[in-house]
Structures are given as structure tokens and as C-alpha cells.
């Protein structure tokens, strides 16, 4: 009886071992996946706000980053006849360590779905802020049940411009020096005249610090409000008109009808929905054997924010959402050209739309936090100056007493 129990126990252990071995082998076996590459490499890219400054950047706007997504099957071969849906999100919000564009933090930068005959989707996207971007990728077959759908989460981390850390360190040193000098002056032995609560130099120093803090607060808030007012005045019907596009938003040419539609205006921090459709004007049937080239350009400084080249879906449409993260007018241009194996040949032509973008000033909370940081650095320097002065005073008194005696 005892031998029978032992044999059952050993058999159960063996069975569990076989199941675990099979499960581990299954989890370690190759799985379909999506690979992300960038051109240039992401460690060579800098956020938008630092690119065009002569102090922090090169003095001109660089081209957008090329994001390339390649879908592979379990054997490592490129998937054919796929559809790739990409959603690109900026770094999460962090009011304590904000970027130059706090409104853009934690928002959807891009949402696009395109056909990928070779399993590859390419977009060009300007990345506005530092931090870790999240890409949600869904790959589905164009032909039903051709392969199992893939869903994958990818990340890419955009480094900050190293020169910003250098200049921030210089600013911290200057603020500490101001506080240190103030603390040294306040900590000194100074006679108090009758009717005064503090020596004159101390009162002048404290008054200067208060005026400086109030001036800084007013400057930060007034400049932000003026910027917001200027952005609002750039909206249609509220001041300066957005320049009209040199190309129409819909056009019939060479036996094709193409129309660009969607949101007519946008706001920083919120995605705008856009769509282009191509059809045969005679039959109203969709046209799919064409290539669509989309380019979004910021008009004030003429830099490209987004670009994509692909084919329309089975309905002859290409729809996408993109965030306009700069409060200036943008031009969206779509060019249509025939595929290499298209039956009908025609000369490429374009439709376009100029979209006004309303800027949004940084939240008051972010401004106050930044001001608090700078004030705190001055206070630390002030306390350090008081501490050094306190250590120096007893030695001075002792030397004076020895000289008197």
C-alpha cells in the first residue's frame, strides 16, 4: 500500500514537471513581434524647443524623426499584407519637473492606421519634448485569418539637450550666490537705531528680495498672459487672419476627385482629426491604387511637424489624428500619385488646408512651482550665508577680546 502511494506521488510530480516544461518552452518560443527603429538614432535627436536656438541648438529646425515599425512573424519573417495601427503618446504629466511644453505632456501626439504590404509602417514626426514616449501598435491582416493579430507596447526615450543642464547649473550658482551674500550681510553685527526693528542694511536687503520676488512673479504671469492673448488674436475672426492656402481642399483632376476634410482649427494639447479621400467622379467608386503623401508644416518658421506616405484603405480613404503642439498656423498638404502597377496613369496633384492653432499658456500651478524652486534656491543660499556668518562671528569676537586684554 505504501509503495502504491509513493508511485502515485512520483507520477504526479513527473506529470507536473512535464506540464511546467511544456509551458516554459511555449513561453520561450519565438512570438510575433513589432520592431521599432528611428532615423537618426534617438540618442542623437533633441527636443523641438532647443533645436532652433543659437544658444542651445544649431540655430535651425532639424527634419522630423523617422519612426519605422516592422512586423515579424514567429519565424522572424516580415509579415505580408498587414494593416498597422499606431498611437503615439508623449511622456506622462509631471508638474514638479515639467518640460518647456507642459500642455503637451501626457497627450496623444499621433493616431494613424495604414496599409503595410511588406509589414512596415513609416512616419516622420517631430518630437516636441524630452522624456519617454509610448507607442501602442496593433497589427492586423488585410486578408481575414491570414495571421494572428499582434498588439505591442513600445517605448522610446528622447534625451534632454545637455546644454540646458549646463545653463541651469549656472543659474543655480547665481541664485545661491545672491542668497549667500544676503545671508552674510544679514548675519553681521550691525547697530540698531532707536525705533528700528532691524538695521538699515538688513531692511534694504529684505525689501530688495521682496521686490525681486514680486517682479519675477509678475513677469512670469504677465508674459504668459500676453503670449496667450497673442495666440488668441491669431485665431480667425479675432485679429490676424490665417494666410489662405495656395491649393484647394478638394480638387477634381485627370479623372480623379480628392478631398481633404476634418477639423478646420486646432488647439495645442488636443488631437485634430483629418481625412483625405480619393474617388472616381464618374462612378463615385473609391480609388485605391494610388499613393498619398501627407505633409504638415508649421508656417511661421517653415518646419515639418509630420509626414507620411501610404495607400488609402478599401474605401479610398486615409484618416489620422495629429496634435498641433505649437500655437501657430499649420499647412496640411496631401499629394496623390499613381502606384507603380496602377492601371490608370496621371500626373500627381495636391490638395491642402491651412489650419489655425490656438496656443495654450502654461498652467498657473506650473508657473508657481517653477517660481518656488528659484525662490527656494535663494533661501538656501541665504541660510548658508547666515550659518557661515555665525561661525565667523565668534572667532572675530575672540580675536578682539585677546587684542584688548
Amino acid at each position: 500500500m505504501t509503495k502504491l502511494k509513493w508511485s502515485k506521488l512520483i507520477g504526479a510530480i513527473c506529470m507536473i514537471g512535464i506540464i511546467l516544461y511544456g509551458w516554459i518552452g511555449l513561453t520561450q518560443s519565438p512570438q510575433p513581434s513589432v520592431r521599432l527603429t528611428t532615423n537618426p538614432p534617438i540618442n542623437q535627436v533633441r527636443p523641438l524647443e532647443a533645436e532652433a536656438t543659437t544658444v542651445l541648438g544649431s540655430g535651425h529646425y532639424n527634419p522630423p524623426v523617422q519612426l519605422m515599425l516592422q512586423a515579424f512573424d514567429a519565424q522572424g519573417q516580415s509579415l505580408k499584407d498587414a494593416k498597422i495601427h499606431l498611437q503615439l503618446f508623449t511622456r506622462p504629466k509631471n508638474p514638479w519637473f515639467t518640460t518647456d511644453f507642459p500642455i503637451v505632456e501626457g497627450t496623444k501626439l499621433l493616431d494613424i492606421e495604414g496599409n503595410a504590404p511588406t509589414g512596415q509602417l513609416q512616419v516622420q514626426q517631430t518630437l516636441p519634448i524630452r522624456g519617454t514616449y509610448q507607442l501602442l501598435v496593433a497589427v492586423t491582416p488585410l486578408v481575414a485569418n491570414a495571421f494572428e493579430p499582434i498588439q505591442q507596447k513600445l517605448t522610446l526615450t528622447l534625451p534632454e539637450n545637455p546644454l540646458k543642464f549646463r545653463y541651469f547649473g549656472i543659474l543655480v550658482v547665481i541664485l545661491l550666490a545672491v542668497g549667500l551674500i544676503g545671508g552674510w550681510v544679514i548675519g553681521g553685527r550691525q547697530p540698531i537705531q532707536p525705533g528700528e526693528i532691524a538695521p538699515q542694511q538688513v531692511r534694504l536687503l529684505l525689501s530688495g528680495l521682496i521686490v525681486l520676488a514680486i517682479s519675477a512673479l509678475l513677469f512670469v504671469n504677465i508674459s504668459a498672459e500676453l503670449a496667450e492673448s497673442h495666440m488668441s488674436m491669431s485665431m480667425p475672426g479675432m485679429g490676424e487672419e490665417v494666410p489662405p492656402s495656395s491649393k484647394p481642399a478638394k480638387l477634381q483632376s485627370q479623372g480623379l476627385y480628392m478631398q481633404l476634410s476634418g477639423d478646420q482649427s486646432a488647439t495645442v494639447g488636443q488631437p485634430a482629426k483629418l481625412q483625405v479621400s480619393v474617388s472616381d467622379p464618374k462612378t463615385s467608386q473609391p480609388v485605391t491604387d494610388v499613393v498619398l503623401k501627407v505633409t504638415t508644416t508649421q508656417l511661421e518658421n517653415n518646419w515639418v511637424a509630420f509626414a507620411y506616405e501610404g495607400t488609402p484603405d478599401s474605401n479610398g480613404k486615409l484618416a489620422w489624428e495629429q496634435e498641433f503642439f505649437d500655437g501657430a498656423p499649420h499647412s496640411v498638404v496631401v499629394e496623390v500619385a499613381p502606384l507603380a502597377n496602377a492601371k490608370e496613369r496621371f500626373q500627381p496633384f495636391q490638395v491642402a488646408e491651412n489650419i489655425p492653432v490656438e496656443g495654450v499658456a502654461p498652467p498657473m500651478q506650473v508657473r508657481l512651482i517653477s517660481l518656488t524652486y528659484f525662490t527656494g534656491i535663494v533661501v538656501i543660499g541665504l541660510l548658508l550665508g547666515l550659518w557661515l556668518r555665525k561661525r565667523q562671528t565668534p572667532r572675530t569676537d575672540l580675536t578682539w577680546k585677546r587684542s584688548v586684554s
Side-chain angles (χ1 to χ4, degrees), residues 60-345:
H60 64 275
Y61 290 97
N62 294 326
V65 182
Q66 188 177 49
L67 306 177
M68 293 169 284
L69 297 170
Q70 181 67 58
F72 296 94
D73 60 16
Q75 287 71 41
Q77 302 296 321
S78 297
L79 288 174
K80 305 298 182 182
D81 297 326
K83 181 184 293 184
I84 298 180
H85 183 198
L86 169 64
Q87 298 180 78
L88 176 61
F89 297 87
T90 60
R91 53 160 270 182
K93 287 185 177 293
N94 187 347
W96 304 106
F97 299 99
T98 183
T99 63
D100 287 0
F101 296 152
I103 298 299
V104 179
E105 297 175 12
T107 60
K108 182 192 294 186
L109 195 60
L110 178 65
D111 189 335
I112 189 170
E113 183 177 63
N115 294 336
T118 61
Q120 186 178 86
L121 178 75
Q122 295 186 19
V123 298
Q124 297 181 55
Q125 177 67 55
T126 294
L127 303 178
I129 58 176
R130 68 176 187 273
T132 300
Y133 291 75
Q134 187 178 89
L135 297 89
L136 301 182
V137 184
V139 183
T140 55
L142 288 174
V143 180
N145 302 322
F147 58 84
E148 289 294 327
I150 304 172
Q151 291 189 350
Q152 192 168 337
K153 182 186 299 183
L154 303 171
T155 59
L156 61 86
T157 301
L158 182 64
E160 182 59 279
N161 190 333
L163 288 177
K164 280 197 169 184
F165 296 110
R166 179 187 304 178
Y167 290 119
F168 178 74
I170 294 174
L171 178 61
V172 169
V173 170
I174 293 174
L175 294 177
L176 281 175
V178 171
L180 184 65
I181 295 173
W184 183 271
V185 173
I186 293 176
R189 290 181 176 273
Q190 301 175 11
I192 301 178
Q193 301 297 328
E196 295 180 343
I197 60 175
Q200 183 179 5
Q201 293 183 359
V202 174
R203 287 186 283 111
L204 291 175
L205 180 62
L206 292 176
S207 300
L209 290 175
I210 293 173
V211 171
L212 181 63
I214 294 175
S215 300
L217 180 62
L218 290 175
F219 173 77
V220 170
N221 286 279
I222 292 176
S223 60
E225 295 301 328
L226 288 176
E228 185 175 14
S229 175
H230 172 72
M231 295 170 186
S232 299
M233 290 295 292
S234 299
M235 297 295 292
M238 300 180 64
E240 181 184 355
E241 291 289 340
V242 175
S245 174
S246 59
K247 301 177 180 64
K250 52 186 177 181
L251 179 63
Q252 180 175 331
S253 175
Q254 305 172 71
L256 291 179
Y257 177 74
M258 182 166 62
Q259 180 178 6
L260 176 61
S261 58
D263 293 338
Q264 301 297 310
S265 62
T267 302
V268 172
Q270 301 177 13
K273 297 181 179 180
L274 297 166
Q275 176 180 280
V276 61
S277 59
V278 185
S279 61
D280 186 334
K282 296 181 180 179
T283 62
S284 299
Q285 294 299 311
V287 176
T288 59
D289 56 348
V290 294
V291 177
L292 300 174
K293 300 179 182 179
V294 182
T295 305
T296 300
T297 306
Q298 197 256 31
L299 293 177
E300 283 189 357
N301 305 107
N302 199 35
W303 50 266
V304 176
F306 167 71
Y308 170 74
E309 180 177 335
T311 58
D313 60 16
S314 58
N315 297 317
K317 297 180 180 180
L318 173 66
W320 73 98
E321 295 181 20
Q322 68 176 105
E323 179 182 338
F324 298 90
F325 45 81
D326 188 29
H330 287 66
S331 173
V332 179
V333 179
V334 183
E335 179 181 281
V336 61
L339 282 173
N341 57 353
K343 296 180 180 179
E344 301 293 335
R345 312 302 298 179

